[in-house]
Amino acid sequence: MQKYLFIVLLSSLALGCGSGTKNGNAEDKRVLTVTIEPQRYFLDQIVGDAFTVNTLVPPGTSPETYEPAPSVMIDMGKSDIYFMVGGLGFENAWSKRLTENNPDVTIVNCSEGIDLMEGHGHNHDHAHGHHDQADGHGHAHSHGAMDPHVWSSPLAVKIFIRNMLGAVVKADPDNEEIFRTGFDEFSVKIDRTDSLIRNLLVNIPSKSFIIYHPALGYFARDYGLYQYSVEFEGKSPSPSQIKELVDIARKEKINTVFIQRGFDTKNAAVIAQEIGAEVFEIDPLRYEWDEELLRIATILARETDE
Ligand SMILES: [Zn+2]
């Protein structure tokens, strides 16, 4: 710190008095780091331009398999706060390492307080009726980490952004008024988005849909829909799993198959063709979070020729 001050003093001396000392505040701005783009969108609504917000996972990349380059740790160390989604891919390992290297960085698990669902591999359960006999201690769940895709739910996002608000107010109490105003305005926008989605999904042709990667579980929970994922426990499906999915799709008259950039599309296309459904590419990692949710609801609500 002292060294930094010294350099600042030196450079203002060199420039003489006056204009030289006022650099654009881009360099001085404090930094927040997030895992995915929707989180940057949320923070932008709350903090305005009080902070610079950096996103770790680049566009078109799966956060489940993404491994940040070692140099990323250095940038993360310069942030005031790292906002993890909570339990997504590299997040736990990286936040632990971040704490070890940079104890000054505050780590916030944005999913804290959200009622989490069981994750990958359990999406077919309600079609089966019962679990295989476990040994009495729930080992049938050993592979079932919690589903991290909470941001597909407007209701969950309201809790999510409350966690964000608390952390930024703590980091920058002088701007609390501004942050609270941004938060309130965004909350209203979320409510509006939620009711628009609800209206769109009244009387849709099928309450079920197929998706390659199960990114819409919380969206489905909010709106009484069923998500069937092609991917099984993070892996490509076996032929028998594909057959099972095709049978369910016929029974439930599924006409929508979602795919996502950064994930396999071939198996989804095969299934779509088999059941005569349409394939749509969606982007649950898009910055314009509310627009994308509305787009997904509009796809589900479209007229089909049945
Ligand atoms: Zn995912």
Side-chain angles (χ1 to χ4, degrees):
M1 193 62 196
Q2 279 198 326
K3 191 174 163 200
Y4 176 67
L5 249 176
F6 181 61
I7 292 167
V8 170
L9 280 174
L10 264 187
S11 56
S12 44
L13 274 178
L15 287 162
C17 335
S19 58
T21 45
K22 270 211 166 137
N23 300 339
N25 36 353
E27 288 170 33
D28 307 337
K29 254 202 229 173
R30 297 161 73 179
V31 176
L32 306 174
T33 300
V34 297
T35 300
I36 55 170
E37 281 286 273
Q39 287 177 292
R40 184 166 70 87
Y41 177 68
F42 302 156
L43 275 179
D44 283 350
Q45 312 308 305
I46 299 169
V47 304
D49 52 12
F51 289 87
T52 300
V53 184
N54 290 335
T55 305
L56 289 179
V57 178
T61 308
S62 150
E64 269 84 0
T65 52
Y66 174 65
E67 274 289 336
S71 62
V72 170
M73 187 58 81
I74 296 165
D75 288 335
M76 283 173 89
K78 294 174 192 148
S79 335
D80 279 30
I81 308 169
Y82 168 45
F83 293 94
M84 54 193 281
V85 172
L88 198 59
F90 64 92
E91 283 187 326
N92 286 326
W94 273 70
S95 59
K96 221 171 123 194
R97 243 188 289 169
L98 185 62
T99 313
E100 284 161 15
N101 295 334
N102 297 86
D104 293 344
V105 181
T106 303
I107 294 174
V108 175
N109 178 351
C110 296
S111 295
E112 198 160 302
I114 294 171
D115 179 19
L116 296 178
M117 295 164 52
E118 265 176 37
H120 311 285
H122 290 266
N123 48 320
H124 293 176
D125 282 1
H126 80 265
H128 286 313
H130 69 274
H131 284 282
D132 294 335
Q133 285 293 93
D135 59 8
H137 277 288
H139 281 189
H141 290 179
S142 58
H143 58 285
M146 303 315 272
D147 183 342
H149 303 95
V150 292
W151 69 95
S152 68
S153 152
L155 294 176
V157 166
K158 290 187 78 174
I159 301 171
F160 199 96
I161 62 167
R162 192 165 284 284
N163 292 329
M164 289 181 141
L165 174 70
V168 290
V169 165
K170 229 186 224 168
D172 186 1
D174 291 348
N175 280 321
E176 174 164 1
E177 278 292 304
I178 296 169
F179 298 162
R180 287 202 182 275
T181 306
F183 173 86
D184 289 342
E185 284 171 8
F186 187 42
S187 297
V188 170
K189 197 175 184 194
I190 294 174
D191 287 339
R192 208 163 52 219
T193 305
D194 174 60
S195 60
L196 284 171
I197 294 172
R198 265 174 221 288
N199 286 336
L200 279 167
L201 295 178
V202 173
N203 296 327
I204 53 170
S206 173
K207 289 219 174 281
S208 304
F209 61 86
I210 288 176
I211 185 165
Y212 182 77
H213 176 72
L216 298 180
Y218 293 85
F219 180 88
R221 182 172 74 176
D222 274 10
Y223 302 111
L225 308 174
Y226 294 99
Q227 158 183 272
Y228 293 98
S229 76
V230 178
E231 191 182 65
F232 191 76
E233 291 169 23
K235 294 189 220 80
S236 287
S238 68
S240 74
Q241 282 161 345
I242 290 180
K243 192 193 166 297
E244 188 185 1
L245 206 50
V246 166
D247 290 343
I248 293 172
R250 290 212 173 102
K251 216 182 306 164
E252 303 195 13
K253 298 193 174 18
I254 292 178
N255 50 36
T256 305
V257 174
F258 290 123
I259 54 171
Q260 185 182 344
R261 206 147 62 102
F263 293 93
D264 169 70
T265 57
K266 217 180 71 198
N267 282 303
V270 166
I271 292 169
Q273 194 166 31
E274 186 73 24
I275 62 172
E278 282 182 273
V279 179
F280 296 89
E281 182 174 298
I282 57 169
D283 186 5
L285 299 171
R286 185 175 160 197
Y287 175 80
E288 292 85 0
W289 165 83
D290 36 12
E291 280 179 40
E292 190 64 14
L293 289 188
L294 283 168
R295 201 183 138 245
I296 289 166
T298 307
I299 290 170
L300 290 167
R302 78 196 182 281
E303 301 251 354
T304 51
D305 26 85
E306 249 191 272

